[in-house]
Amino acid sequence: MKIGVSCFAGLGGSGVVAAELGKQLAERGHEVHFFSTSLPFRVDDLSDRLRFHQVTPMPYPVFEHTPITLALATKMAEVGEAEGLDLIHCHYAIPHSTAAYLARVSSRRELKVVTTLHGTDTRLVGLDSSYRHIVRFSIEASDGVTAVSESLRESSVHDLALERPVEVIYNFVDTNYFVPRPHCQLRRALSPRCAPVVMHVSNLRPVKGILDIVRAHAVVRERTGAQLVIVGDGPQREEAEKLAHGLGLGCDVTFVGRRDDVASYLACADLYVAASREESFGMSALEAMSCGVPVVAMRVGGLPELVAEGETGLLTPPGEVLPFAQAQIELLNDEPRRAAMGAAARERAVHCFNPAAIVPQYEDLYRRALNGETGR
Ligand code: GMT
């Protein structure tokens, strides 16, 4: 198939999923065309089967804001016709699905549209009255719609009163890349005292609950001596650094910033933590599991579908810092249990969330969309 993939290029789960899926599809013999404002994060080797079309909206003094949706739709329609694309797969409904709709209705070529809902597109932004109507319309107008967890499917269908079927296709991880192989030197650099390493990876937005992770660490450190390593950058980094300082955590909390070699970092962790307020899936938690790291997370969104409770990690009540800290202490102080959970986490990632298990589900959906069998 000739598949267009529309996504955000920067750090963020939906872009990661789009990039990894595009690479897998190309490896499986499809022709993949990325549409984005810059080369998506994690796509580095372009080829005949993996191509990139940069979307560059023309700025104009009359515009208060550059209309990216129009430039994206224009590029999709032009490339769709020139390259004979079969369909466009939109990652994150806003504004990709709307652009793809415009491309489809304006194109001389029949172009199918598949939309994957990732979370905040339908849980947060898409519910705002400034967007809701068109977001709902664009999702309903897609030929196939998926959500990355059952939890996201249910809430999106309910909140946007969707009438068309939404299928669940979970995210996947490259289990040959995210492997349980700690790098001794990096591990020593992250934890010079050889203390256990608790790790979190995200874009440090308020929805990720970073401040709760730091607050919990004040308790965890007291009882285990663990080191907290926070990977990533974002709007709450400064506040979290100040909080860690104010709590007297000193060098027991390290902010290492954005890292391209996340897999090496995760492989050095003893425990992965997530305190999100909302999390439709939790890509970093899955990447940690693939590295053989058990997860302690707050019980929100799709995390209970990813983390097998009591087997590959522990889940605690949303927004409550003490039980979250307690669960970490429990695992850090019980090495055999922690190791068994890490092994089970790796096994779960390999069996349930590897590309071979997930990518064919998208291929099947594309075929059904092309044959008009998706119920639209
Ligand atoms: O929350 C993020 O890190 C960014 C966001 C995105 O769309 O880039 O992530 C969402 O999509 C990811 C990939 O499907 C999911 O793993 C995340 O759980 C989801 N984030 C939220 O629901 C808050």
Side-chain angles (χ1 to χ4, degrees):
M1 286 176 264
K2 292 191 177 193
I3 303 157
V5 174
S6 183
C7 63
F8 293 117
L11 268 189
S14 61
V16 167
V17 172
E20 297 295 343
L21 177 60
K23 290 193 283 188
Q24 290 288 335
L25 289 166
E27 261 176 43
R28 294 167 73 93
H30 302 287
E31 191 177 298
V32 175
H33 294 251
F34 284 105
F35 293 90
S36 204
T37 47
S38 56
L39 191 64
F41 172 66
R42 291 209 189 170
V43 176
D44 13 61
D45 292 326
L46 295 173
S47 65
D48 284 352
R49 286 217 298 267
L50 201 61
R51 299 177 44 192
F52 169 58
H53 306 277
Q54 188 165 26
V55 179
T56 36
M58 175 202 175
Y60 190 67
V62 170
F63 296 152
E64 277 182 47
H65 302 285
T66 313
I68 174 79
T69 310
L70 300 187
L72 182 56
T74 302
K75 188 65 92 183
M76 286 173 174
E78 283 175 359
V79 174
E81 285 182 6
E83 301 288 344
L85 298 191
D86 295 306
L87 62 89
I88 305 235
H89 187 169
C90 301
H91 288 268
Y92 209 86
I94 308 167
H96 309 279
S97 305
T98 311
Y101 173 80
L102 288 173
R104 187 179 67 190
V105 295
S106 65
S107 179
R108 285 184 301 249
R109 182 183 167 78
E110 194 181 357
L111 200 54
K112 300 288 181 182
V113 176
V114 168
T115 295
T116 289
L117 311 178
H118 280 276
T120 47
D121 46 354
T122 54
R123 295 291 294 131
L124 194 79
V125 202
L127 294 182
D128 189 84
S129 57
S130 58
Y131 297 118
R132 191 178 191 279
H133 177 84
I134 286 299
V135 170
R136 180 179 188 279
F137 172 83
S138 310
I139 294 170
E140 290 281 281
S142 300
D143 298 283
V145 182
T146 75
V148 296
S149 64
E150 182 56 36
S151 152
L152 180 62
R153 188 194 72 78
E154 274 172 27
S155 53
S156 305
V157 167
H158 176 267
D159 296 347
L160 285 170
L162 298 177
E163 285 168 6
R164 55 145 311 113
V166 177
E167 305 179 21
V168 174
I169 301 184
Y170 288 120
N171 291 333
F172 61 90
V173 64
D174 183 345
T175 50
N176 293 322
Y177 180 70
F178 286 88
V179 285
R181 208 177 294 135
H183 192 289
C184 297
Q185 236 173 319
L186 177 60
R187 163 111 197 169
R188 241 193 325 272
L190 293 176
S191 180
R193 295 179 290 106
C194 295
V197 173
V198 174
M199 194 171 285
H200 172 78
V201 181
S202 78
N203 44 25
L204 310 192
R205 285 184 292 131
V207 73
K208 300 292 177 186
I210 311 300
L211 303 182
D212 280 352
I213 292 177
V214 174
R215 283 185 196 107
H217 196 69
V219 184
V220 173
R221 194 247 339 225
E222 208 53 39
R223 303 269 303 277
T224 64
Q227 175 81 31
L228 173 63
V229 176
I230 297 185
V231 182
D233 214 338
Q236 274 204 319
R237 176 169 173 175
E238 207 183 310
E239 199 179 342
E241 281 176 332
K242 275 191 191 144
L243 178 65
H245 184 73
L247 289 171
L249 292 172
C251 45
D252 293 332
V253 181
T254 328
F255 291 81
V256 297
R258 182 184 161 157
R259 286 286 180 267
D260 287 335
D261 52 339
V262 174
S264 319
Y265 278 77
L266 284 170
C268 290
D270 295 293
L271 195 62
Y272 182 85
V273 290
S276 307
R277 298 286 174 267
E278 293 243 2
E279 201 66 79
S280 65
F281 184 83
M283 268 312 281
S284 301
L286 174 58
E287 290 172 348
M289 286 168 63
S290 186
C291 291
V293 181
V295 175
V296 169
M298 292 189 180
R299 194 180 289 105
V300 296
L303 281 166
E305 295 169 60
L306 174 61
V307 178
E309 192 160 6
E311 234 178 86
T312 69
L314 297 175
L315 297 171
T316 64
E320 292 186 31
V321 171
L322 272 181
F324 180 59
Q326 196 53 49
Q328 295 178 48
I329 294 164
E330 226 179 86
L331 292 191
L332 289 168
N333 285 340
D334 186 346
E335 175 55 23
R337 187 170 177 221
R338 197 201 57 71
M341 278 191 169
R346 167 74 187 168
E347 204 166 300
R348 184 165 166 76
V350 168
H351 282 103
C352 308
F353 301 102
N354 74 82
I358 306 294
V359 179
Q361 297 180 39
Y362 280 114
E363 291 176 307
D364 179 57
L365 172 63
Y366 298 160
R367 283 194 196 97
R368 284 184 286 120
L370 291 174
N371 293 332
E373 295 165 6
T374 45
R376 191 177 82 89

